[in-house]
Amino acid sequence: MADKTQEAGGIHFPFPFTPYSIQKDFMAALYQVLEAGKVGIFESPTGTGKSLSLICGALSWLRDFERKKRQEEARLLEAGAAPLNDGEDQNPHLPSLSSCQETPGTPGASGEPDWVTQFVQKKGERDLVDRLREEQVRRKKREERLQQSRHHAWLKSAAKRPRQEDEETEHLLHLSREMLAAGMGSEQLASEEEELVLADYESDEDRGAASGADEDEDDLEEEHVTKIYYCSRTHSQLAQFVHEVQKSPFGKDTRLVCLGSRQSLCVNEEVRGLGSVQLINDRCAEMQRSRRERNGIPEEEEAAAERRRQRRQRATCPFYSHERLQLLRDEVLLEVKDIEQLVTLGREARACPYYGSRLAIPAAQLVVLPYQTLLHAATRQAAGVRLQGQVVVIDEAHNLIDTITGVHSVEVSGSQLCQAHSQLLQYMERYGKRLKAKNLMYVKQILYLLEKFVTVLGGNIKQNPNTQSLSQAGTELKTINDFLFQSQVDNINLFKVRRYCERSMISRKLLGFTERYGAVLTPSREQPRLSGFQHFLQSLQPPGTKAPAAPAAEGEDGAPRLASPLMHIEGFLAALTTANQDGRVILSHQGSLSQSSLKFLLLNPAMHFAQVVKECRAVVIAGGTMQPVSDFREQLLACAGVEAERVVEFSCGHVIPPDNILPLVVCSGPSSQQLDFTYQKRELPHMMDETGRILCNLCNVVPGGVVCFFPSYEYQRQVHAHWDKSGLLARLAVRKRIFQEPKRANQVEQVLMEYSRCIKHCSQAGGTVTGALLLSVVGGKMSEGINFSDNLGRCVVMVGMPYPNIRSPELQEKMAYLDQTLPRAPGQAPPGKALVENLCMKAVNQSIGRAIRHQKDFASIVLLDHRYARPPVLAKLPAWIRDRVQVKATFGPAFAALRTFHREKSGPSVSLPT
């Protein structure tokens, strides 16, 4: 359909079709938020075209912003071209640095003579004009470069270019290193092993100033233009957004770049073959470090550096070429591409899509990236994302607070601590004589930390963690300072240890050591102490034999075992540098040391979000179900220092007609039993029977698919077993084929396919079986991101209210933290109690949002629990449901309303109860 330009609030919004009125309102509100530099919380139900509204609204603002900026630059440059004379000749368009209009020679408001003030003012004007001219030149060069790329086959020629020159250069460098190494002595290790030795380490004090570890791309970067950063949770959601951009009126003129992980973007088959995300990341980083080490070395240090590098030389990646990366960068900016298209282009060009996309960030207008890249400061910096003065749009943000908390919370097990200690101890014993004093000092500090962490769990670092039974069981919760004191590591500067781990890349050295020797290289005198690790660590490999790939190994619980757990433990050490009041350490003492763990719990996610809202021009937090929004306002924005007047809320209704949805709160069942699914009563037999009778009645009148959500997997299993024993399951199967949500993620797609196939078959074949019943779990695989449109979800049932486990130490600490830090509003529940209510209702809103996916869809929503009838609970439902909800004290009127609703919507073919 032809593009149509729509006007809303006096602003023209290109749109691929005539938008809904709520889409016009959404775009107008979004435009004003970006223009005024606000923080917006936007709620638009699934099926209302939220993604397209975000695209057209945000890019319309960017279009107008760029046009106004260029007009203003043109005026200033035109004014700057004229002679800068005194008095009335001063151009009014140029910024005035002084409002003084004194007689020459008289002191101005600043106390300086007027001629001095005028000189400073004119110098500032000249500097501004010079900056604008430079920016104009850069922009013109970029546009010319992209235009040339569009009309020339540079990329193809670069892809076909022979690699003999690169190979010859590599061969000559290798020969030169061998020559420089002559006369170094006979105590060298094998060349494959030299790369495992730690390089000389200099702290900030030794250097005099921090040098930064990731400055390798600075020479390739250009100035960052104003842009929009769009992030979402999953790869599929990002891909869907890119496809929406491609179909939009902005698809041909927008410079868009997709950022992804190395695992998603790597085209080096040797590296991709490593499988593990951690291994791919580390091998790639090692290759880039090897490249950097060959550049920028002062001449007086070059010979010594070459001798050191000869002992630890690593191969560089053939897909990292300065020239090919620049060509790939330009090709990325020419037209909108998703991740798959970017990878295909990288293979054709023999250029790395991961680094090529990073080089495209400065000139891009729209950058699409995952949550974690934006919300984690170190990842953000490594990716080259700069937020200063930019716009950030966070979509699917209903779980934003949990995401930030999860990204910055780390758990390490006793087995990981013991394994890391064993590996590092053996590493030090093998290479200790080759290490400088500074390296040895830090290695010993890390060993000490690991030993003390095991001790605080109640274990012994010298014994097998799998066979160590702990005398103490249970959970302890400590402040960060208390944990450090109890562990007796408060005298160690964790900031310096963290910096050492980052710069020395000790975990990567340890990984190479593990790959080569299977992490067991023990002198005979230590064999008795380490003999218990034989089933825990890789067995000793014969000399020169490569150990099996450690990441493929699994622990006793079936989880992948880390080849170098120190990589994971580094995250825990970094978390311990958090401010004492913003986090807690949970000590979980289980039956054995290997099962016990230390977990850092982040209590204040706002501390990490504060930098985002501080640097950005505007931030938009959007989602289909954002209620209740009080969490975002209080826990995230207020604690991040955002003033209340800067926050704007926008919530729109649904595009469906009001009579296409029937939300019901049912307070009692067919036998007049009150529906009370509190933890104390929900497992009673009569309560499970009443639930089964309700579903039997619903399945008699609802066509197609019915999705029923339970509070937990365990409760769903109990109810299913009870119905099977009582015969209710057989009664349900007369009308609906019954499916259960699997616990394993790899089985979800198969269950959904069978569920869909069954409904389609029943709608065509007729008969007594009218569809399917899917028993699902709140917070499970089916409660988020699954589309139950049309016949797949004609009715959504919520059994009880899915409150989180109030006995959880983590939840209790979070509640106590909020009670202490957030003010309690008059007449309102304490912040901790409000948190529990909000967590419950967010889960409910996500689950019931699986139905009603487009304008002509229809469904009923049945909330089974008398507690849903309370006004504070109803107020937390999405507005488009809240305004239409009906509370039924007894089951009869509720059943009558459902029967009428589905009879009118589906026609007379609906089977009625007998």
Side-chain angles (χ1 to χ4, degrees), residues 241-545:
F241 179 82
V242 173
H243 295 155
E244 290 284 347
V245 175
Q246 290 172 330
K247 294 184 294 184
S248 77
F250 297 90
K252 296 186 181 300
D253 302 321
T254 301
R255 300 190 301 274
L256 180 148
V257 58
C258 285
L259 300 185
S261 64
R262 286 181 172 94
Q263 188 182 36
S264 300
L265 292 173
C266 180
V267 292
N268 187 328
E269 294 302 327
E270 179 184 349
V271 177
R272 286 177 63 89
L274 296 173
S276 162
V277 177
Q278 189 69 60
L279 284 178
I280 291 174
N281 290 343
D282 293 322
R283 186 59 54 84
C284 177
E286 282 286 282
M287 287 178 167
Q288 301 318 309
R289 183 176 176 86
S290 176
R291 177 183 58 81
R292 290 196 300 269
E293 285 180 351
R294 292 209 302 257
N295 297 289
I297 304 294
E299 287 187 13
E300 60 271 15
E301 300 179 14
E302 188 167 357
E306 282 293 336
R307 287 194 295 270
R308 289 195 300 270
R309 288 198 299 270
Q310 189 277 337
R311 299 195 302 266
R312 59 179 186 273
Q313 175 59 29
R314 297 168 294 277
T316 57
C317 181
F319 292 90
Y320 195 103
S321 160
H322 184 175
E323 182 182 2
R324 290 198 294 266
L325 283 177
Q326 287 186 314
L327 294 174
L328 179 62
R329 171 200 63 190
D330 294 343
E331 189 72 16
V332 166
L333 295 172
L334 281 179
E335 61 181 20
V336 176
K337 298 177 182 65
D338 62 17
I339 291 288
E340 286 74 18
Q341 294 168 327
L342 182 57
V343 169
T344 300
L345 184 65
R347 287 198 176 101
E348 293 174 354
R350 292 194 59 79
C352 175
Y354 177 78
Y355 285 101
S357 60
R358 286 173 59 179
L359 290 181
I361 292 175
Q365 296 167 307
L366 180 58
V367 179
V368 179
L369 66 167
Y371 265 10
Q372 290 77 3
T373 305
L374 180 88
L375 299 175
H376 193 267
T379 307
R380 190 165 66 233
Q381 181 181 5
V385 172
R386 298 181 184 178
L387 300 181
Q388 190 67 46
Q390 310 293 13
V391 171
V392 164
V393 177
I394 304 174
D395 201 2
E396 301 297 334
H398 56 272
N399 60 350
L400 178 60
I401 296 176
D402 293 337
T403 300
I404 298 174
T405 302
V407 166
H408 298 91
S409 296
V410 189
E411 184 172 14
V412 295
S413 67
S415 61
Q416 290 172 341
L417 293 169
C418 289
Q419 187 182 6
H421 186 277
S422 172
Q423 293 176 353
L424 190 57
L425 182 64
Q426 294 169 73
Y427 177 90
M428 186 182 71
E429 290 173 346
R430 178 153 184 86
Y431 304 121
K433 294 181 180 179
R434 310 293 296 268
L435 302 180
K436 298 290 186 178
K438 185 80 71 173
N439 274 320
L440 279 174
M441 179 191 74
Y442 279 112
V443 168
K444 289 179 179 179
Q445 283 189 354
I446 297 171
L447 286 170
Y448 179 79
L449 288 168
L450 296 173
E451 180 178 355
K452 289 301 181 181
F453 290 163
V454 169
T455 302
V456 82
L457 280 174
N460 188 330
I461 197 68
K462 298 181 179 180
Q463 298 177 12
N464 185 343
N466 292 322
T467 59
Q468 285 190 65
S469 298
L470 303 184
S471 57
Q472 180 185 5
T475 301
E476 295 181 79
L477 199 143
K478 304 281 186 182
T479 66
I480 298 175
N481 288 346
D482 287 346
F483 171 75
L484 296 177
F485 282 123
Q486 183 177 341
S487 304
Q488 300 178 352
V489 297
D490 53 291
N491 59 327
I492 292 181
N493 189 329
L494 292 179
F495 291 93
K496 286 189 174 183
V497 174
R498 173 185 179 180
R499 193 157 52 241
Y500 172 78
C501 291
E502 292 172 352
R503 293 183 178 172
S504 68
M505 297 196 298
I506 185 172
S507 61
R508 292 171 187 158
K509 301 290 186 181
L510 202 56
L511 172 62
F513 177 73
T514 304
E515 287 179 323
R516 181 172 176 79
Y517 292 108
V520 181
L521 187 86
T522 50
S524 58
R525 68 178 183 276
E526 294 200 358
Q527 188 63 32
R529 177 168 70 84
L530 293 174
S531 60
F533 283 101
Q534 296 307 310
H535 296 289
F536 176 67
L537 301 175
Q538 300 264 344
S539 60
L540 176 62
Q541 300 295 312
T545 303

Side-chain angles (χ1 to χ4, degrees), residues 563-813:
S564 178
L566 186 59
M567 296 175 184
H568 187 60
I569 295 169
E570 284 179 2
F572 182 71
L573 294 176
L576 292 179
T577 61
T578 303
N580 185 57
Q581 70 273 14
D582 290 334
R584 298 289 184 270
V585 180
I586 300 173
L587 290 76
S588 177
H589 305 278
Q590 302 299 324
S592 67
L593 175 61
S594 63
Q595 297 172 332
S596 301
S597 64
L598 300 173
K599 180 177 182 179
F600 173 81
L601 173 66
L602 180 67
L603 295 178
N604 181 19
M607 63 175 289
H608 295 286
F609 197 64
Q611 187 178 6
V612 175
V613 293
K614 180 181 178 181
E615 293 184 0
C616 291
R617 171 194 177 96
V619 176
V620 175
I621 304 171
T625 51
M626 299 295 289
Q627 294 292 336
V629 298
S630 57
D631 284 358
F632 296 101
R633 275 188 169 274
E634 297 167 5
Q635 294 184 41
L636 201 60
L637 300 179
C639 292
V642 180
E643 301 84 359
E645 55 270 18
R646 192 186 172 197
V647 181
V648 175
E649 289 184 29
F650 175 88
S651 180
C652 63
H654 214 294
V655 295
I656 60 170
D659 58 353
N660 274 25
I661 182 174
L662 177 64
L664 294 173
V665 173
V666 182
C667 299
S668 61
S671 62
S672 300
Q673 176 72 45
Q674 186 185 50
L675 299 179
D676 186 352
F677 291 94
T678 56
Y679 190 77
Q680 296 80 6
K681 296 183 179 180
R682 69 185 188 186
E683 296 179 9
L684 296 176
H686 67 266
M687 191 59 63
M688 291 189 281
D689 289 338
E690 196 77 337
T691 307
R693 285 190 286 267
I694 291 173
L695 283 178
C696 283
N697 280 278
L698 296 184
C699 290
N700 278 331
V701 299
V702 177
V706 177
V707 184
C708 181
F709 286 99
F710 291 86
S712 68
Y713 282 104
E714 178 59 24
Y715 185 58
Q716 183 218 53
R717 186 195 64 78
Q718 289 179 356
V719 171
H720 187 274
H722 180 80
W723 288 349
D724 189 23
K725 186 177 180 180
S726 66
L728 273 167
L729 207 60
R731 288 175 56 189
L732 284 168
V734 172
R735 293 292 187 184
K736 304 288 183 185
R737 183 180 169 190
I738 300 172
F739 294 86
Q740 286 183 277
E741 177 178 325
K743 274 193 172 184
R744 301 186 64 169
N746 58 1
Q747 298 174 343
V748 171
E749 186 175 354
Q750 180 64 28
V751 172
L752 286 174
M753 288 178 59
E754 293 179 6
Y755 172 77
S756 176
R757 193 180 300 120
C758 172
I759 292 173
K760 184 177 180 180
H761 172 76
C762 292
S763 65
Q764 296 172 347
T768 57
V769 179
T770 61
L773 170 63
L774 178 59
L775 305 180
S776 303
V777 176
V778 175
K781 317 294 185 304
M782 309 287 192
S783 65
E784 191 172 332
I786 303 296
N787 184 352
F788 291 112
S789 63
D790 300 315
N791 276 342
L792 295 181
R794 289 303 182 201
C795 181
V796 175
V797 182
M798 291 293 305
V799 178
M801 298 187 70
Y803 282 103
N805 181 10
I806 197 67
R807 297 184 181 88
S808 163
E810 298 180 25
L811 181 58
Q812 289 181 348
E813 191 64 21

